[in-house]
Amino acid sequence: MLFFSKFLLRLIRWNNLFVFGVAVVFIGGSSLLAYELEPSTFETRFNGLWWVMTTVTTVGYGDFYPHTVAGKCLGIVVYIFGIGLISITISKVVDALFVYQRKKEEGKLRYAGTNHFVMIDWSQHAENAIKEILNSDPVVEVVLIDTLEKSPIHHERVHYVLGNPQLVATLEMANTSKARAVFIFADEVTQFQNTIRDPAFVDGKTLLVATTVERNYNHVYTIVEIRDKQNLPNFQHIRIDEFIFGSETISQLAVRSAFSPGTSKILTQLLTRTPQGEDLYEIPTQAKWVTFHDAFQDLLQKGATLISDGEHLNINKRLHEEIPLGAKLFVICDKETYGRLTQK
């Protein structure tokens, strides 16, 4: 028993891979040896494996068991060492799962996926954006980068990375080079004080993060939130694909709603994916569409309304123009119609 206890204690301290290897060798060797000692009893090598597995897991069905002295001696060895070995192996597997889960919550694991969205700095805007992404696409994944001790959001398609987004090493942890897009939100609240930061300070940090992203991953689509529009010229030395002015957009929407009641409801419906109702979608061009008029009439018959070519909303004035190469057509339709138009 003293030897057995020392063996198990030493086994516990061994490397996990080594323990797994010992377990595989022990089970495989015992299975082959059981068949070689009593081939008439076990009939096949698989039956030998079955007997060893039911023994080390203390199930003991009794459909196969050794009859000779040599076979019973092997059974004693399997009882003494096998059961302890399998117990330690299982405990190490469970412990490894706990360690993995803890590291994932703490943001210490590198993300290896591709075509994902990278979200930099946790805020209310970031939370809303993540929810909208998850609702818009049933398979896309999101990587959140922040300096919080643990992930602020728990979802199977959201991966958390702990670190300073101004460092390339942190961005590499999020596999930013293979991302679909990067969102850089304004970090409005300090980590230790619940006070709003000065807009210049917030946009200054955003500028540093955006510069790092664009200098190393300028092929990735970048969307940046700016608190103060007056700071926009400071971003001209880097290529940002889109800017968002949160406070300005809210103010403009409030005024539009006052002059034209219901405006906010229409825009909210277009910007938010809903199970029912009309949403805004981008669709590919078709070879049979020569002019915008062709596309407009064909889409109208299929239940969709063409509203813009990229950011240009003057489609009604360009109906007889030919659709240029690289055109980005946006339509308003329901989810079923969008599925038919894109064959998804």
Side-chain angles (χ1 to χ4, degrees):
M1 291 301 298
L2 180 61
F3 168 77
F4 180 62
S5 62
K6 288 184 177 181
F7 173 75
L8 291 181
L9 289 175
R10 183 180 294 272
L11 195 62
I12 292 175
R13 292 192 294 268
W14 280 345
N15 181 273
N16 289 352
L17 292 178
F18 182 76
V19 173
F20 298 154
V22 171
V24 171
V25 172
F26 180 84
I27 292 174
S30 300
S31 303
L32 294 175
L33 185 58
Y35 173 76
E36 295 298 330
L37 291 175
E38 299 188 26
S40 59
T41 300
F42 294 102
E43 298 177 353
T44 64
R45 291 180 176 83
F46 178 78
N47 289 336
L49 174 63
W50 172 258
W51 170 70
V52 172
M53 291 303 298
T54 56
T55 300
V56 298
T57 55
T58 68
V59 176
Y61 284 110
D63 49 353
F64 293 98
Y65 57 90
H67 296 84
T68 65
V69 174
K72 292 178 180 180
C73 290
L74 175 62
I76 293 174
V77 174
V78 173
Y79 297 152
I80 295 176
F81 294 99
I83 295 176
L85 179 61
I86 292 300
S87 299
I88 293 174
T89 303
I90 294 175
S91 67
K92 284 185 173 292
V93 171
V94 174
D95 183 63
L97 291 175
F98 276 115
V99 171
Y100 172 82
Q101 186 63 30
R102 185 177 70 251
K103 287 185 176 181
K104 183 178 181 181
E105 291 180 355
E106 295 175 351
K108 298 179 180 179
L109 295 178
R110 188 182 189 279
Y111 180 77
T114 59
N115 201 33
H116 55 289
F117 292 101
V118 176
M119 205 76 56
I120 297 179
D121 283 332
W122 175 253
S123 64
Q124 186 63 51
H125 292 173
E127 181 179 8
N128 294 336
I130 290 176
K131 291 180 179 179
E132 184 65 22
I133 290 173
L134 298 178
N135 291 332
S136 301
D137 193 314
V139 296
V140 72
E141 296 187 347
V142 179
V143 178
L144 172 65
I145 300 177
D146 205 287
T147 56
L148 301 174
E149 293 182 358
K150 289 187 177 181
S151 174
I153 183 171
H154 300 282
H155 193 282
E156 60 182 4
R157 290 193 281 132
V158 178
H159 188 94
Y160 179 59
V161 170
L162 172 67
N164 185 351
Q166 300 174 28
L167 302 178
V168 177
T170 302
L171 297 175
E172 283 296 315
M173 286 280 290
N175 204 13
T176 306
S177 62
K178 297 182 179 179
R180 180 174 174 180
V182 176
F183 297 83
I184 305 176
F185 287 102
D187 186 12
E188 298 180 348
V189 183
T190 63
Q191 185 175 359
F192 304 104
Q193 298 178 356
N194 190 24
T195 56
I196 302 299
R197 292 177 176 175
D198 182 82
F201 178 82
V202 175
D203 289 344
K205 177 184 177 183
T206 302
L207 176 60
L208 290 176
V209 176
T211 302
T212 303
V213 172
E214 285 301 314
R215 186 175 65 246
N216 296 279
Y217 314 102
N218 56 13
H219 62 284
V220 180
Y221 200 84
T222 309
I223 304 167
V224 174
E225 178 190 6
I226 296 180
R227 288 284 307 280
D228 190 345
K229 194 174 183 178
Q230 294 181 355
N231 295 324
L232 182 60
N234 297 324
F235 289 79
Q236 291 181 351
H237 69 284
I238 54 177
R239 190 183 64 84
I240 301 298
D241 296 286
E242 288 194 39
F243 290 97
I244 299 175
F245 309 100
S247 58
E248 179 180 303
T249 302
I250 294 174
S251 301
Q252 292 174 347
L253 183 58
V255 173
R256 292 294 180 185
S257 298
F259 279 97
S260 302
T263 302
S264 63
K265 296 180 180 179
I266 296 174
L267 292 179
T268 300
Q269 181 178 341
L270 291 178
L271 296 176
T272 305
R273 290 286 182 262
T274 56
Q276 292 83 24
E278 305 289 316
D279 292 319
L280 182 66
Y281 296 99
E282 180 185 354
I283 62 169
T285 60
Q286 297 184 15
K288 62 180 181 180
W289 297 341
V290 178
T291 65
F292 286 110
H293 182 270
D294 298 335
F296 185 88
Q297 292 297 331
D298 187 46
L299 290 169
L300 194 62
Q301 294 178 2
K302 295 177 180 178
T305 303
L306 178 64
I307 63 169
S308 75
D309 171 21
E311 60 185 20
H312 305 291
L313 295 173
N314 58 343
I315 288 293
N316 59 330
K317 298 180 180 179
R318 303 169 56 199
L319 292 178
H320 297 289
E321 293 183 14
E322 293 187 2
I323 300 177
L325 295 176
K328 300 179 65 175
L329 303 183
F330 287 90
V331 300
I332 297 177
C333 63
D334 56 30
K335 187 176 181 180
E336 290 73 17
T337 302
Y338 172 70
R340 291 195 302 268
L341 294 175
T342 57
Q343 296 181 352
K344 291 184 179 180

